[in-house]
Amino acid sequence: MAQQTEVTSGYHADPARSFSLHADAYTQSRWFQTDVNSIIGKSWQWVCHVEKTRIPGSYITVEIAGQPIAIVRDKSGELRAFYNVCKHRAHHLLSGEGKTSLIVCPYHAWAYRLDGKLQGAPHTQNLKQFNKDEICLDQVQVEEFCGFVFVNLDPTAPPLAQQSGALQSEITHWAPDVAELTFGHRLSYDIKSNWKNVVDNFLECYHCPVAHKDFCDLVDMDTYKVTTHGIYSSHMADAGNSANAAYDVSAATVKTHAVWWLWPTTCLMRYPGRSSMIVLNIIPIDTNRTLETYDFYLETPEPNNMELDAIRYLDEVLQVEDIALVESVQKGMSTPAFNQGRIVHDPEGSGKSEHAVHHFHGLVLDAYAQKNI
């Protein structure tokens, strides 16, 4: 338990009294492995928009906590997820995404129905005590939630809709058409920082007036409010009322900046403009490396001029600024000059407060405690 005591030191349930998570949690490989096993491997992970899996036979493959997973819509319309591993010799079954009527292993052609049950295995008719009806792919929890597909490797985890409380009603209120949107664009980044630093940075706008001056014109910072709930936090602000250097929102039909962070690695963002939803998926790779994808779901497959400007701004300005920040923080945390810092707390819940970072750290420490390290 010595390791656990060390990493929890300084944290207080009251954000006004608390220090941040200890630097070891960001820089030590033992904590990264705990993150993968006890956080990523036991939480609901974003996969895709429902449009990719609407049609029976449609499938997509992903890797979650190092585990290969296949998600498929079966012929009855039920969404299913399996370990993407053949029960014969453990070869992967499906690759990428697409549509199929049968899951056929590319190694020895064992064939599985879309419900995971073995349909046929070549040259097994002479095997003794072999009953193909007893063979089925190992299932993984899968859920459609707010227009998106999530999976959870933990078979005992409660449903996401249950865990997340009022999140579904919030998103439905601010983005009622989210399930009808369509994929428009993806941005990808490889970042030299621990994934928790990426989340920390996303959860506070204390740094925005210093590091994101364009963003502070895009939204009205006086209206920016952050509210924490069980396993998510909401970040709301009105669009700015004057011209800004980020992108032109004078023709925007959506006037609210509505953002949600869902534990531990999913960020759903509805920027001013047309109806849209941007999904930031944070993917831990190693102690000092994180991948990010930004998927833009729009009213039409082709972005309009305002959305092209928004994509350009996010890619060429906002992300450049944020990546430089978190990579600098990661380097600083790896020096003997830093262990942890104070949480800056505004009891009014403004965007310039770090209480959502504190909320995230509490969830991390809860997961560590359950590991009994």
Side-chain angles (χ1 to χ4, degrees):
M1 293 295 291
Q3 295 178 14
Q4 174 74 10
T5 302
E6 175 184 322
V7 84
T8 59
S9 63
Y11 177 84
H12 194 283
D14 179 357
R17 298 174 179 270
S18 186
F19 282 80
S20 62
L21 196 59
H22 198 279
D24 282 359
Y26 299 82
T27 61
Q28 301 298 317
S29 60
R30 68 178 184 266
W31 291 113
F32 179 79
Q33 289 306 313
T34 299
D35 289 348
V36 171
N37 297 332
S38 299
I39 297 178
I40 307 303
K42 292 184 178 297
S43 58
W44 287 97
Q45 295 289 305
W46 181 86
V47 175
C48 63
H49 191 273
V50 292
E51 71 172 352
K52 281 192 181 293
T53 57
R54 277 201 179 107
I55 303 170
S58 55
Y59 69 86
I60 184 170
T61 61
V62 293
E63 187 172 286
I64 304 293
Q67 304 300 311
I69 305 298
I71 298 94
V72 62
R73 181 79 64 180
D74 72 17
K75 292 181 179 179
S76 70
E78 183 174 349
L79 193 62
R80 297 179 180 273
F82 310 99
Y83 282 94
N84 191 21
V85 175
C86 184
K87 303 300 287 186
H88 173 223
R89 294 272 297 281
H91 197 280
H92 74 273
L93 294 165
L94 296 170
S95 298
E97 57 187 72
K99 191 173 184 297
T100 187
S101 59
L102 204 61
I103 301 171
V104 181
C105 180
Y107 195 7
H108 299 100
W110 280 37
Y112 302 85
R113 297 194 294 272
L114 300 185
D115 62 3
K117 296 179 180 178
L118 183 65
Q119 176 164 302
H123 311 297
T124 57
Q125 63 272 18
N126 295 320
L127 297 183
K128 297 178 180 179
Q129 298 180 331
F130 177 82
N131 183 355
K132 69 179 181 62
D133 294 334
E134 296 176 350
I135 298 174
C136 185
L137 301 177
D138 286 17
Q139 297 203 33
V140 171
Q141 287 206 77
V142 62
E143 189 170 336
E144 295 179 56
F145 180 80
C146 293
F148 297 102
V149 175
F150 289 80
V151 298
N152 195 324
L153 302 187
D154 181 359
T156 67
L160 177 55
Q162 176 184 326
Q163 282 192 37
S164 58
L167 178 58
Q168 185 165 1
S169 62
E170 277 194 41
I171 293 176
T172 301
H173 173 76
W174 292 105
D177 60 346
V178 62
E180 280 68 57
L181 298 174
T182 188
F183 177 77
H185 193 76
R186 168 172 279 196
L187 298 172
S188 299
Y189 306 94
D190 194 331
I191 303 172
K192 299 180 184 69
S193 182
N194 186 271
W195 71 277
K196 295 189 293 298
N197 265 329
V198 176
V199 174
D200 286 349
N201 184 70
F202 182 87
L203 289 177
E204 50 93 352
C205 220
Y206 183 40
H207 69 281
C208 292
V210 180
H212 303 315
K213 297 184 186 300
D214 296 334
F215 180 83
C216 292
D217 291 330
L218 176 64
V219 303
D220 182 351
M221 289 301 295
D222 290 337
T223 67
Y224 203 121
K225 187 172 179 61
V226 178
T227 310
T228 61
H229 312 267
I231 63 165
Y232 76 97
S233 56
S234 58
H235 307 242
M236 302 291 179
D238 294 337
N241 296 316
S242 57
N244 69 83
Y247 64 95
D248 182 11
V249 295
S250 59
T253 55
V254 172
K255 302 289 189 180
T256 302
H257 172 78
V259 173
W260 299 270
W261 167 77
L262 173 62
W263 162 263
T265 52
T266 303
C267 307
L268 306 172
M269 300 176 281
R270 191 168 171 89
Y271 274 26
R274 281 199 303 176
S275 182
S276 67
M277 186 68 81
I278 309 168
V279 181
L280 163 57
N281 188 30
I282 299 167
I283 307 166
I285 299 298
D286 207 340
T287 307
N288 300 296
R289 185 180 174 211
T290 302
L291 298 183
E292 281 185 340
T293 58
Y294 279 80
D295 284 354
F296 293 75
Y297 296 96
L298 311 171
E299 292 182 14
T300 57
E302 294 297 325
N304 65 15
N305 288 335
M306 180 167 45
E307 289 159 349
L308 288 172
D309 282 345
I311 292 168
R312 173 205 54 78
Y313 165 68
L314 200 155
D315 185 36
E316 298 179 8
V317 180
L318 194 60
Q319 276 298 97
V320 172
E321 294 167 345
D322 275 332
I323 289 171
L325 292 173
V326 298
E327 290 187 344
S328 176
V329 168
Q330 187 68 26
K331 288 180 180 178
M333 284 186 168
S334 301
T335 71
F338 183 84
N339 288 322
Q340 56 194 156
R342 283 298 296 264
I343 293 291
V344 175
H345 178 238
D346 174 6
E348 299 300 317
S350 77
K352 297 176 184 178
S353 173
E354 295 178 319
H355 60 285
V357 177
H358 175 265
H359 171 243
F360 167 54
H361 291 178
L363 292 172
V364 169
L365 293 176
D366 285 347
Y368 287 175
Q370 291 173 19
K371 183 67 175 175
N372 293 321
I373 295 173

